[in-house]
Amino acid sequence: RSFAIHGNNQDGWTANFGKSPFVIRIYDKQKEQEQKGLETSIKNRVELELHANRAEQVISEWFENDNLVEYSLSILYTYLWFVDEPIDEEELKGTHVRERYIDSLKTMPAWSLLTSLGQSMKFVRKPKEQSVDSILSWIMKYVVPSLEVLKKTGHWHEVIEAMDKANLSPEQEKLIKANLVNAIT
């Protein structure tokens, strides 16, 4: 019902289907990574952006049935469908014949291929190991501009106070100790 396409040939195209709390996003992952100076073998990417209840449903399905791939693909099948023929809006509006009409439409081969290949995918959680250098790089790129705004608007002292009161996780404490050991040696 709602979609937006933005981008260009140089930077790549992004298509968003739906609105928050539920968006299906398809974009040129290779061009996105090239702009960051990185390489990837992934050409295009399909993402589900979920918030609130939708996100909780997916997490519940993952924990209860360890079936995230099939569940995610069922979301794609339910909410996004590319067909190789014009859609008759009047037929689509009919409440009793809607499902029968949808089932009669011929799915676009590329969409069938994507969704069938998706069945063989697996979701794997591999947390990235952080380093002090990666944290510093991220802060410099994404946080420093916002800190500058706070400094120039008189809120810098609040940031310093919050840092002094921050509770660090065990992983963060380990990073500090490892960095101190490296500095001493």
Side-chain angles (χ1 to χ4, degrees), residues 110-144:
W111 186 245
S112 294
L113 177 63
L114 173 72
T115 53
S116 67
L117 288 175
Q119 295 293 342
S120 65
M121 295 180 196
K122 293 190 178 353
F123 283 85
V124 180
R125 290 183 350 130
K126 287 186 181 177
K128 292 181 181 177
E129 199 166 305
Q130 284 193 323
S131 68
V132 173
D133 288 338
S134 68
I135 294 170
L136 181 61
S137 175
W138 183 80
I139 295 286
M140 296 303 235
K141 186 172 184 176
Y142 297 106
V143 179
V144 165

Side-chain angles (χ1 to χ4, degrees), residues 13 37 78 105 122 127 138 144 148 152 159 161 164 170:
W13 294 94
T78 304
L105 296 170
K122 293 190 178 353
W138 183 80
V144 165
E148 183 65 12
K152 288 184 175 182
V159 174
E161 286 176 17
D164 288 339

Side-chain angles (χ1 to χ4, degrees), residues 56-68:
E56 289 174 14
Q57 288 171 346
V58 171
I59 291 169
S60 292
E61 178 67 23
W62 188 8
F63 287 149
E64 291 172 18
N65 301 312
D66 196 23
N67 198 13
L68 194 55

Side-chain angles (χ1 to χ4, degrees), residues 82-86 105-110:
F82 293 97
V83 295
D84 255 351
E85 55 191 284
L105 296 170
K106 182 180 176 197
T107 305
M108 190 178 281

